[in-house]
Amino acid sequence: MNAQQAARSGRKATVLACTYVGLIAAVSLARGIVGAHGDGTQAVLFFLSFPGSLLITALVVLPLGALADDGGSETAVPYGPMLYLVGGAALNVLLIYVATKGLRRFRTARRNG
């Protein structure tokens, strides 16, 4: 693979990653504007951003909620799941990026010695 092909595939991956996160954000925002709660679309969105949304919930949202405990007053936020979904999608992109970089380094190291 020459440098031009590598740059082209890098651009494609960036566009694909931005499209993935953008679509998750757009659908989440549209659901918030409409006020849809607990429908099938939410289940599909959580499935599409699964490992990242779970990690965002466990490592960011729950600890912040415990630190900023305001006496248990719960208010309904129409954009509530948007943080989990978009953060999860962005984290999924980061996880895939790190995994591919690691595999490429491993493959290069194995070839060289």
Side-chain angles (χ1 to χ4, degrees), residues 15-112:
V15 168
L16 181 65
C18 291
T19 303
Y20 167 64
V21 174
L23 283 174
I24 295 286
V27 173
S28 299
L29 183 65
R31 287 187 72 253
I33 290 171
V34 171
H37 297 288
D39 58 348
T41 309
Q42 184 177 358
V44 170
L45 288 173
F46 272 108
F47 175 74
L48 290 175
S49 66
F50 166 63
S53 62
L54 180 66
L55 290 171
I56 291 291
T57 302
L59 300 176
V60 176
V61 175
L62 293 177
L64 285 177
L67 289 175
D69 193 351
D70 56 354
S73 64
E74 302 224 358
T75 58
V77 179
Y79 306 102
M82 190 171 181
L83 172 69
Y84 311 119
L85 296 170
V86 176
L91 188 60
N92 286 343
V93 170
L94 180 66
L95 289 172
I96 290 172
Y97 174 77
V98 169
T100 55
K101 282 291 189 184
L103 287 173
R104 285 178 184 164
R105 283 191 181 185
F106 176 74
R107 188 174 59 194
T108 303
R110 189 167 179 188
R111 283 183 191 163
N112 292 338

